[in-house]
């Protein structure tokens, strides 16, 4: 890379850090191209991104962002994963690390809060944003169906009483 390409890369990475909520730092020494491609495919499916970046350029891009706490993790063969949904990127990274010994989650940052590997693992065990939305929607809909059932019950009872009187009158 020449200087202008490096500047553009640092600027694009800095804009990514400004827009995202979660960054995970991983060690990816010895991964094959097929394994990295599979990891990128999983990240994309979860709405996350995965990029191998030179540590020096990533450090420059981190300057002035809320993710400066991850600078000490940028040593050796590292890669960055990020997403707006913090749980999604953590889930994919931890799940891939379980199945691949060469891929190690070093840590990351959720906003200005730096996390170690155990913090990322704990975050990955939380329900995703979509799961939380579904649960919230279910909780909101449940009272509405109960209210509708309660409102319909008196009308049904009145109809049954009237039907019983009608049958009584017919029999008499």
């Amino acid at each position: 890379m020449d200087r202008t390409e490096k500047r553009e890369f640092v600027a694009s990475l800095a804009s990514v850090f400004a827009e995202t909520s979660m960054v995970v730092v991983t060690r990816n020494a010895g991964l094959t191209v097929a394994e990295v491609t599979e990891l990128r495919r999983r990240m994309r499916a979860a709405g996350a991104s995965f990029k191998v970046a030179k540590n020096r350029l990533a450090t420059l891009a981190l300057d002035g962002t809320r993710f400066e706490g991850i600078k000490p993790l940028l040593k050796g063969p590292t890669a960055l994963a990020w997403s707006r949904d913090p749980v999604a990127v953590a889930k994919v990274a931890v799940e891939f690390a379980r199945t691949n010994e060469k891929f190690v989650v070093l840590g990351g940052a959720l906003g200005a809060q730096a996390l170690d590997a155990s913090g990322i693992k704990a975050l990955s065990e939380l329900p995703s944003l979509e799961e939380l939305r579904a649960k919230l929607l279910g909780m909101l809909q449940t009272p509405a169906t109960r209210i509708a059932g309660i409102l319909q019950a008196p009308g049904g009872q009145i109809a049954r009483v009237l039907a019983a009187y009608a049958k009584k009158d017919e029999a008499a």
Side-chain angles (χ1 to χ4, degrees):
M1 277 190 191
D2 65 354
R3 285 181 188 258
T4 56
E5 289 175 329
K6 287 180 183 178
R7 267 191 235 114
E8 289 171 5
F9 180 78
V10 169
S12 69
L13 206 52
S15 69
V16 163
F17 292 146
E19 295 171 1
T20 192
S21 66
M22 174 77 176
V23 176
V24 176
V25 181
T26 63
R27 173 153 293 125
N28 58 338
L31 287 178
T32 64
V33 172
E35 291 168 336
V36 172
T37 303
E38 173 64 18
L39 175 61
R40 284 191 172 122
R41 186 189 61 74
R42 289 185 191 180
M43 288 280 184
R44 232 183 341 266
S49 300
F50 179 79
K51 183 117 179 123
V52 176
K54 290 186 181 254
N55 294 336
R56 179 72 181 129
L57 297 179
T59 302
L60 289 173
L62 286 168
D63 286 337
T65 67
R66 59 184 175 209
F67 300 111
E68 286 188 83
I70 64 173
K71 282 183 182 180
L73 299 174
L74 297 175
K75 290 181 175 52
T78 59
L80 302 171
W82 62 87
S83 172
R84 289 182 188 210
D85 180 9
V87 177
V89 70
K91 277 187 185 220
V92 173
V94 169
E95 180 183 310
F96 193 80
R98 280 188 196 130
T99 61
N100 195 318
E101 298 170 359
K102 298 173 189 172
F103 185 78
V104 179
V105 175
L106 299 175
L110 177 59
Q113 178 68 42
L115 302 170
D116 60 355
S118 62
I120 299 293
K121 186 174 186 292
L123 190 62
S124 73
E125 294 167 357
L126 293 174
S128 71
L129 186 59
E130 293 301 319
E131 291 172 22
L132 289 174
R133 284 181 180 158
K135 286 181 182 179
L136 180 63
L137 185 60
M139 287 175 21
L140 290 173
Q141 286 180 340
T142 300
T145 56
R146 285 186 184 159
I147 290 171
I150 290 169
L151 291 175
Q152 289 176 351
Q157 289 173 349
I158 291 171
R160 284 190 288 279
V161 168
L162 292 175
Y165 278 121
K167 286 182 183 177
K168 183 179 175 186
D169 288 339
E170 288 175 8

